[in-house]
Amino acid sequence: MFATRFAPSPTGRLHRGHAFSALTAWTAAREVGGRFVLRIEDIDPTRCKPEFEDAIYEDLAWLGLDWETPVRRQSAHLTDYAAVIDALNARGLLYRCFRTRKEILDAIGDAPHGPAEAVRPGPHAPEEEARLLAEGRPYAWRLSLDRAREALGDDAWNALSFVEEGVGPDGETGLVRARPETAGDVVLARKDAGTAYHLAVAHDDALQGISHVIRGLDLFEATHIQRLIQTLMGWPAPVYRHHRLLLGPDGRRYAKRDQSVTLAELRAGGLTPEALRAELGF
């Protein structure tokens, strides 16, 4: 059965870009009698706020959307993600990384290929790791691409792919080869949270039976590493449909960090949901 989702993080109020993405997914589901799932991705304890989560429900209801209940809140299921970490670690696919983000970026800047090179710091020497653990130094779990490729074998690695029903940033469509090496050795769990984005998303899409991932073009590159995680865990591969990003009058995409006009502000200014839907092409 067709099932898709809208999965915002409650780190601020929703804006036009969120409305466009939510309506795109909701409409796709309703047109074929499929499922529309709302998921709250609140694994960042420093930025996610309960008031923003409440505002998500308010804004989406104002837009006229409906969704399945109960809504999955990722922060309530950290043990699920910890079990995946344990499973991957038991297979020798992870390593502890004690390096700070600044240390890694500085090292990349000194590398021959410059800052564009994917982050692959590699494991610490055993004696150094033992010392850092004894000191109580915080660490992140990283997925080793080298070990993942070895575990899958070259044939399976080279066969990693996904179906793109939209169009990627470089015109990618149809069957697209997945290139997890572009993401480097990604962090799958951090010291301040039990999981990280890629693992939680891949896990929940499988758990919730998501057949079609409909999301913005800015997340296209994330698909490469998520397909690797799905394959390593034996999870099904959804179809992907990345949509264009909604741009503001200045030609820049709407973003919380740029303090884009929120749906609440539009509502307070007298805009009706019908007018906004029409403006967005729905």
Side-chain angles (χ1 to χ4, degrees), residues 199-216:
L199 185 144
V201 166
H203 174 278
D204 288 356
D205 284 343
L207 178 72
Q208 296 183 297
I210 301 302
S211 67
H212 288 69
V213 173
I214 301 175
R215 61 187 182 186

Side-chain angles (χ1 to χ4, degrees), residues 39-56:
R39 184 165 72 222
I40 301 298
E41 299 192 342
D42 59 343
I43 56 175
D44 184 342
T46 62
R47 299 175 60 224
C48 294
K49 307 295 182 185
E51 59 266 31
F52 293 143
E53 180 180 340
D54 292 340
I56 288 171

Side-chain angles (χ1 to χ4, degrees), residues 6-192:
F6 178 60
S9 295
T11 58
R13 297 296 300 245
L14 301 186
H15 49 62
R16 277 186 175 90
H18 293 115
F20 180 78
S21 190
L23 282 165
T24 298
W26 182 85
T27 301
R30 292 295 175 259
E31 285 179 342
V32 297
R35 298 170 52 221
F36 176 73
V37 173
L38 174 62
R39 184 165 72 222
I40 301 298
E41 299 192 342
D42 59 343
I43 56 175
D44 184 342
T46 62
R47 299 175 60 224
C48 294
K49 307 295 182 185
E51 59 266 31
F52 293 143
E53 180 180 340
D54 292 340
I56 288 171
Y57 303 135
E58 178 185 356
D59 288 340
L60 295 181
W62 174 76
L63 276 172
L65 274 59
D66 56 342
W67 52 86
E68 294 182 358
T69 57
V71 173
R72 182 176 177 87
R73 299 172 64 251
Q74 289 184 334
S75 63
H77 300 280
L78 296 181
T79 55
D80 292 354
Y81 313 126
V84 180
I85 292 294
D86 289 343
L88 292 172
N89 191 41
R91 294 163 60 187
L93 300 177
L94 307 181
Y95 63 88
R96 293 184 180 91
C97 180
F98 294 84
R99 301 169 182 87
T100 66
R101 180 175 177 82
K102 184 179 185 304
E103 289 171 342
I104 292 172
L105 292 176
D106 286 347
I108 293 174
D110 293 337
H113 300 294
E117 187 167 314
V119 176
R120 300 184 67 178
H124 297 262
E127 60 275 10
E128 182 185 12
E129 179 174 309
R131 177 181 61 81
L132 294 170
L133 282 172
E135 293 176 358
R137 288 274 298 274
Y139 60 86
W141 284 111
R142 287 187 179 273
L143 174 64
S144 169
L145 290 183
D146 290 337
R147 297 176 189 174
R149 181 165 188 160
E150 183 179 352
L152 291 179
D154 287 341
D155 289 345
W157 179 274
N158 293 329
L160 282 172
S161 61
F162 59 93
V163 174
E164 174 59 59
E165 289 187 343
V167 179
D170 295 318
E172 301 96 334
T173 192
L175 187 64
V176 179
R177 180 180 175 185
R179 297 176 292 110
E181 63 274 8
T182 60
D185 291 354
V186 296
V187 170
L188 295 188
R190 300 181 183 277
K191 62 180 180 296
D192 57 347

Side-chain angles (χ1 to χ4, degrees), residues 162 178 215 219-228 240 242:
F162 59 93
R215 61 187 182 186
L219 290 170
F220 180 87
E221 296 302 330
T223 310
H224 297 287
I225 198 70
Q226 289 166 15
R227 278 294 298 120
L228 174 59
Y240 290 85
H242 291 90

